Amino acid sequence: MAARVIDGKAVAAALRAEVAARAAALPYAPGLAVVLVGEDPASQVYVRNKERAAKAAGFASETIRLPASASQAELLALIARLNRDPAVDGILVQLPLPAGIDPQAVIRAIDPAKDVDGFHPDNVAALALGTPFLVPCTPRGVMRLLDAAGIAPRGARALVLGRSNIVGRPMAALLLAADATVTIAHSRTRDLAAECRRAEILIAAVGRAEMVKGDWVSPGATVIDVGINRTAAGGLVGDVAYAEAAAVAGAITPVPGGVGPMTIACLLENTLIAAAARR
Ligand code: GUN
């Protein structure tokens, strides 16, 4: 039987509408500052989409663009200014940063109360301790997709493929907080296929086109594909060989139209959470 397709576009649209309605009821417009350093083409697209979504939700959004030649000191000075600005509730510095700027130093400089990416060590620690405040947007979006699809992590064997700070690690922490039995697999894992086959919930976040094959998927499993990989022909594919996996899985997210739209919706939600906690 073909898998049920989890429609991330629809779930994200509903969440964005809910965030916009909650923002409209506030006596102020939540403020989001997005910082882009340099001209990375993919980052430019992401930042433009974030700005557009924030404006559409009624937020006060500003995008600050620094040249690729900007120094770490200039970027830290900008962050210090945004930390002090009472109208700014959320600060997001788009990654990756140009060579010569230490991303960890930049992340540590952001006020944890305004860290809508959830990357600051204080927010990472809060999540690890099971008391999350601002959590990374993509894994948060995955949890919301599972919820919308009626898939309960409690007691389930969940496998997270990938251990990045942006997705894999916080994803595993969120699944654990939701009472799943969590395994993190990565490039050094022995027999990845066998690990994947044991999973009832399989989250692929490695950034390798169509790496997860159909016979890596347990019949009836839920497959969440976080990957966005550009093919030589200019198309987009995930980390999962979609057609093969969809023939075996119980539920699956497409690429595009799965996890991708959730990330921005959850960024708006995080900004609202940050605003509510500050004001
Ligand atoms: N680059 C790729 N994903 C992300 C993200 O979630 N946040 C930021 N700041 N940069 C990214």
Side-chain angles (χ1 to χ4, degrees):
M1 213 180 74
R4 183 157 58 99
V5 179
I6 302 173
D7 184 351
K9 246 162 99 171
V11 179
L15 178 56
R16 283 171 60 166
E18 183 197 320
V19 168
R22 279 162 54 198
L26 296 171
Y28 58 87
L32 174 64
V34 177
V35 179
L36 174 62
V37 186
E39 273 103 45
D40 179 71
S43 291
Q44 289 190 25
V45 174
Y46 293 142
V47 163
R48 211 175 309 126
N49 289 339
K50 286 168 184 175
E51 184 178 26
R52 220 177 269 154
K55 291 233 161 83
F59 289 13
S61 161
E62 60 170 328
T63 302
I64 300 144
R65 292 177 170 80
L66 297 182
S69 60
S71 68
Q72 181 165 315
E74 282 171 77
L75 179 53
L76 294 179
L78 169 62
I79 292 169
R81 174 172 79 69
L82 296 171
N83 283 344
R84 282 191 306 269
D85 186 338
V88 172
D89 297 292
I91 302 169
L92 181 147
V93 179
Q94 186 67 27
L95 303 176
L97 289 164
I101 299 183
D102 172 11
Q104 286 307 322
V106 171
I107 289 165
R108 276 196 306 273
I110 296 170
D111 180 349
K114 298 188 176 188
D115 169 36
V116 285
D117 259 327
F119 294 164
H120 189 283
D122 285 7
N123 284 317
V124 174
L127 174 58
L129 292 168
T131 53
F133 171 45
L134 294 168
V135 308
C137 302
T138 300
R140 182 185 184 87
V142 171
M143 296 306 286
R144 285 202 158 273
L145 276 184
L146 291 173
D147 186 53
I151 292 147
R154 174 169 296 176
R157 277 191 304 277
L159 182 116
V160 179
L161 186 49
R163 54 178 162 179
S164 70
N165 291 340
I166 294 179
V167 184
R169 287 170 206 254
M171 185 76 254
L174 283 171
L175 286 163
L176 181 61
D179 297 324
T181 302
V182 183
T183 302
I184 305 177
H186 46 79
S187 55
R188 299 284 179 268
T189 296
R190 218 179 312 124
D191 203 350
L192 261 180
E195 290 293 343
C196 288
R197 257 181 237 121
R198 271 195 283 278
E200 295 164 291
I201 298 173
L202 171 55
I203 318 266
V206 274
R208 294 191 49 182
E210 300 180 321
M211 178 176 166
V212 176
K213 308 301 178 198
D215 65 359
W216 293 25
V217 176
S218 172
T222 298
V223 178
I224 307 288
D225 190 348
V226 181
I228 301 177
N229 309 288
R230 204 161 279 286
T231 63
L236 286 184
V237 297
D239 292 350
V240 176
Y242 182 81
E244 289 175 20
V248 186
I252 190 165
T253 60
V255 175
V259 175
M262 294 302 295
T263 299
I264 289 185
C266 288
L267 170 65
L268 301 180
E269 195 183 22
N270 271 350
T271 305
L272 204 57
I273 291 168
R278 288 187 56 250
R279 300 211 200 197

